[in-house]
Structures are given as structure tokens and as C-alpha cells.
Amino acid sequence: MIDWNAMSDDAFRHEVRSFYAEHFPMHLRDVIGYYTWAQQRDWYRKLYERGWAAPSWPREHGGMGLDASKLLIFVEERLDLARGPDFGGLVMLGPVLMKFGSPEQKARYLPRILSCDDLWAQGYSEPGAGSDLASLRTEAVLDGNEFVVNGQKIWTTWGLECTHMFALVRTDKSVKKQAGISFLLLDLKSPGVKVRGIRNLTGQEDFCEVFFDDVRVPRANLVGELNDGWRVSKALVGHERLLIGNPQHCQRALQRLATVARSQGLFDDTGFLDKYTQLALDVEDLAASYGRYCDLARRGEPIGADVSLLKIWATETLQRINEQIVECAGDYGGSNGLLPFGSAGVDVLHPFYISRPTTIGAGTSEVQRNIMAKFVLGLPS
Ligand SMILES: Cc1cc2nc3c(=O)[nH]c(=O)nc-3n(C[C@H](O)[C@H](O)[C@H](O)COP(=O)(O)OP(=O)(O)OC[C@H]3O[C@@H](n4cnc5c(N)ncnc54)[C@H](O)[C@@H]3O)c2cc1C
């Protein structure tokens, strides 16, 4: 087994770049946003066979075991920027199981997450519990050796494609909200589970509603202690929080803006030049800020609450660039699909649509600003 960390940074970067250049399929290169599993499966298989499916997982569990520095290089060089249905298991649940799972849970689930035989959805949000997640009401009542689950989750990304869900459920109503929550593993094929797609702006059913009607779940599927799910769910894989601030999304959007603007002759327009320069500087700011957090991660220093700034800046800048692309596209601004701009094809509307929810998922911009106000600026709640 190769010890990637023993390689020089340059050699490792070259290795990742070459592998992607040679193997990453052309039809996925322009996918922005979400892959379907059917689109992604073959490519994923290639990564898996190479041993590159889980860059941050320890080698004992089949990961690459990359240290912070190598992990950041991998993130910078990888071309598959869009999130796929493998995300829930590989990025979210896997590390939680490694920390809190029983030996049986680790042995049973981790290999199937790695091979993507099981695809995991995240079941946190509910109609009455989003930003205020601790208000969740989906209930799990112990009955012998099983929980009986009733309730509803919403905005479950990939609910229709995933085979399993890790969910936060209420197991004690008599205590403080956070203290009565447990972390449960559910098979989405269990009797009593109903998954319904929600059509979004792009016309796809990326996320879903999931209903539970007397669903029986083995007690062995509880991760961590009963009523300790809040702590389990807070287990963060430090460096993954950085992924969201990766400037590549904005850098590519800026390239698309330049392509559209060039073909429309807009670089001769001083009004446009002002806007473009501002956006280009915003992307530079993002890249600089991202680099600063990466340096912290490389040195093994903690990443503080101020990382919220990165999420706000990355997502809001992405929205601003995509709005500008639509404006510059003129008559094409309302058309779907790849459109000709000069010799290049640019999809104008799809990236615009999918940039909209980025300021909502993984903590809204308002909530991130609250975090900054409270924990960084020390303002009162
Ligand atoms: C693309 C996408 C994918 C998602 N995938 C998943 C998934 O796989 N699994 C899952 O469980 N969830 C998922 N979510 C849900 C996501 O976690 C929630 O949308 C998010 O937590 C916000 O909750 P909400 O939608 O209920 O909005 P609410 O919390 O109801 O917020 C509504 C508005 O009020 C504002 N607001 C709320 N509280 C405050 C406050 N204290 N101060 C100031 N303003 C406030 C918010 O910023 C927002 O503008 C996804 C969401 C999106 C957009």
C-alpha cells in the first residue's frame, strides 16, 4: 500500500493531476452541482479500485489516510467538484461511525460505504426544524429490542437514490431539546418508509421528503449512547469544513463569465469592466482567505468559528457571478442547456439555479452571520 504522505507535495500533486487528466470522464467535466449515481458510478468505481475513494479516511478503514497538507492538494487537484450520492456516507457518516460506532457497526457499514454498496442520506431537517434543528420531532420509541420510528424528514438530498439514512430522532421528550435526541441508522427499504421527491428549480428531484410510519429499527442501529445524538451529530471532520470554501467553484464561474462577456463584446464596456473587476477581486479574496485556513489546517491548528466567513463569502460570491452571467448572456439569459458563446459552450441557467440554495444548505448565511456576531465579534445574542 502506498504511503502518500511520504511523497513530496509536488510529486503527489503531479500524481493526482495525471490520474484525473487520464481517467476523469469528459462527460462529467462540465457537470456543476449534482451528479446522479448513474452518471457517477463508473467513475467512482475507478477511484475505488485505485484506493482513492476516501482521501481523508484512515488507511486501516480503506482510505488514503492523507494528512492535512496532502488532503488539501487532493481537493485542489480533483476535477469532480459536484457532490454525488456517495457524499453522505463517505464524507458525513463514515467519520462519525469511526468515532462513535460500535465495533459491529464499523465492521458492517464502513466497507459498504467505501464500496458505495450502501448510499447514505442525511436525515436531519424537518418541516419545523431547520436552522433550529434541536426542535426536531421525528420520534423513536423503544419497544423491546427495536425502535419504532414515526415522523417526517425533509430536504433529504438524494433520498430517492440512497439506500440508507442516518437520522436524528427524538428519544426523550421530557428533557431539554438537545438532550433528548439520538442518532439512528435506518434502512430506507424498511416497511413504513415512504420517499417522495421534491422538484427543484432545475426540474430535478435532488431532494426529498421522507415519511416514517411505525418503522421498526433494530436497537443495534443506535450510534453512540441513547439521547446523546446531538453530540454525535456535532462530530465534525475538521478539514471537511474547508471544502465548502474551496474557491474553484467561483474561479470556474468567473471563467464562464469571461467567456460570455468576451463573445458579447462586453470587455469594451467600462460599466461591465467595473463589475467584472470587482467580482474577480472578490474571488481573489476568497482564494486568499481559503489559503489562510488551509495553512492553519496544514499546521494542525484549530479552525475557529470565523470559518463561517468562508462559507458566506464562497456562496454569496458564487451567486453574484452567476447573476452577472445571466445578465451578460442577453437573450440567452433565459435558456436552458449549453449555449454557444464564441467557440465555447456555456450553460447559463443551470449554474445560476444551483447557486441559489448554496446560501441555505449547511447553515444559512443568516445563521453563519449570527455565529460570526456571537463567537467572533462577541456581540450579545
Ligand atoms: C441544497 C440543499 C440540500 C440540503 N440537504 C439536506 C440533507 O441532505 N439533509 C438534511 O437534513 N437537510 C438538508 N437540507 C436542509 C438544510 O439543512 C436547511 O434548509 C437549513 O438548515 C435551513 O433550514 P430551513 O430550510 O428549515 O429554514 P429555516 O431555518 O426555517 O430558515 C428560514 C429563514 O429564516 C432565517 N433564520 C432562521 N433562524 C434564524 C436566526 N436565528 N437568525 C436569523 N435568521 C434566521 C434563515 O436564515 C432563513 O433565511 C438541505 C438544504 C439545501 C438548500
Side-chain angles (χ1 to χ4, degrees), residues 290-328:
Y290 178 73
R292 200 168 60 80
Y293 286 104
C294 291
D295 286 341
L296 284 180
R298 278 191 191 99
R299 292 198 299 268
E301 291 174 28
I303 292 171
D306 52 336
V307 75
S308 286
L309 177 72
L310 202 60
K311 205 252 166 184
I312 296 171
W313 199 243
T315 52
E316 295 188 357
T317 303
L318 187 66
Q319 289 183 348
R320 284 196 297 275
I321 300 173
N322 278 301
E323 283 161 17
Q324 195 58 45
I325 294 174
V326 172
E327 199 176 314
C328 292

Side-chain angles (χ1 to χ4, degrees), residues 34 83 122-127 129-132 154-157 207 357 360-367 370:
Y34 293 87
R83 171 180 165 177
Q122 179 196 24
Y124 285 13
S125 307
E126 297 183 6
S131 302
D132 181 16
I154 196 167
W155 313 126
T156 313
T157 304
F207 40 50
I360 302 173
T364 68
S365 283
E366 291 79 9
V367 167
N370 283 350

Side-chain angles (χ1 to χ4, degrees), residues 75-117:
V75 169
E76 278 162 20
E77 294 300 329
R78 70 188 307 173
L79 297 176
D80 43 355
L81 285 182
R83 171 180 165 177
D86 53 329
F87 188 88
L90 286 167
V91 176
M92 297 168 125
L93 179 62
V96 168
L97 284 181
M98 286 174 215
K99 189 162 180 191
F100 292 100
S102 65
E104 295 74 26
Q105 287 169 343
K106 288 182 199 173
R108 177 168 177 194
Y109 293 114
L110 289 177
R112 294 183 61 82
I113 290 176
L114 198 64
S115 62
C116 278
D117 285 319

Side-chain angles (χ1 to χ4, degrees), residues 4-5 7-9 12 66-74:
W4 303 107
N5 295 326
M7 273 181 152
S8 73
D9 283 359
F12 181 65
L66 297 185
D67 61 25
S69 173
K70 293 287 187 304
L71 183 59
L72 292 167
I73 291 173
F74 193 88

Side-chain angles (χ1 to χ4, degrees), residues 147-159:
F147 288 100
V148 181
V149 180
N150 280 287
Q152 183 198 345
K153 295 292 173 182
I154 196 167
W155 313 126
T156 313
T157 304
W158 299 119

Side-chain angles (χ1 to χ4, degrees), residues 174-375:
S174 66
V175 290
K176 186 170 143 258
K177 284 192 294 190
Q178 284 85 348
I181 291 173
S182 297
F183 192 102
L184 213 53
L185 306 176
L186 291 129
D187 185 338
L188 288 175
K189 283 181 233 62
S190 309
V193 177
K194 190 170 149 200
V195 184
R196 198 160 66 191
I198 303 172
R199 196 165 291 272
N200 66 19
L201 271 174
T202 66
Q204 293 170 315
E205 293 184 344
D206 294 337
F207 40 50
C208 304
E209 294 173 289
V210 183
F211 301 89
F212 305 99
D213 184 11
D214 282 338
V215 178
R216 301 194 79 86
V217 179
R219 190 187 169 129
N221 286 18
L222 176 71
V223 179
E225 299 296 318
L226 190 67
N227 296 322
D228 199 24
W230 194 249
R231 191 168 71 95
V232 174
S233 74
K234 293 274 159 211
L236 277 179
V237 215
H239 304 130
E240 252 95 36
R241 285 195 292 165
L242 280 180
L243 296 183
I244 208 134
N246 185 344
Q248 284 190 59
H249 300 277
C250 282
Q251 287 161 342
R252 292 200 189 170
L254 200 64
Q255 283 168 5
R256 286 198 305 278
L257 174 58
T259 303
V260 172
R262 209 170 293 117
S263 89
Q264 307 284 77
L266 286 169
F267 278 110
D268 299 326
D269 176 333
T270 51
F272 170 76
L273 262 185
D274 274 353
K275 288 180 190 163
Y276 181 82
T277 307
Q278 183 62 56
L279 290 170
L281 290 173
D282 288 348
V283 177
E284 287 298 318
D285 283 344
L286 173 66
S289 183
Y290 178 73
R292 200 168 60 80
Y293 286 104
C294 291
D295 286 341
L296 284 180
R298 278 191 191 99
R299 292 198 299 268
E301 291 174 28
I303 292 171
D306 52 336
V307 75
S308 286
L309 177 72
L310 202 60
K311 205 252 166 184
I312 296 171
W313 199 243
T315 52
E316 295 188 357
T317 303
L318 187 66
Q319 289 183 348
R320 284 196 297 275
I321 300 173
N322 278 301
E323 283 161 17
Q324 195 58 45
I325 294 174
V326 172
E327 199 176 314
C328 292
D331 289 348
Y332 282 143
S335 305
N336 279 311
L338 272 187
L339 303 163
F341 289 97
S343 57
V346 176
D347 192 334
V348 170
L349 219 42
H350 188 77
F352 169 77
Y353 285 151
I354 61 169
S355 70
R356 303 314 302 168
T358 57
T359 48
I360 302 173
T364 68
S365 283
E366 291 79 9
V367 167
Q368 304 291 346
R369 286 191 165 88
N370 283 350
I371 293 171
M372 295 285 293
K374 191 168 171 186
F375 298 106

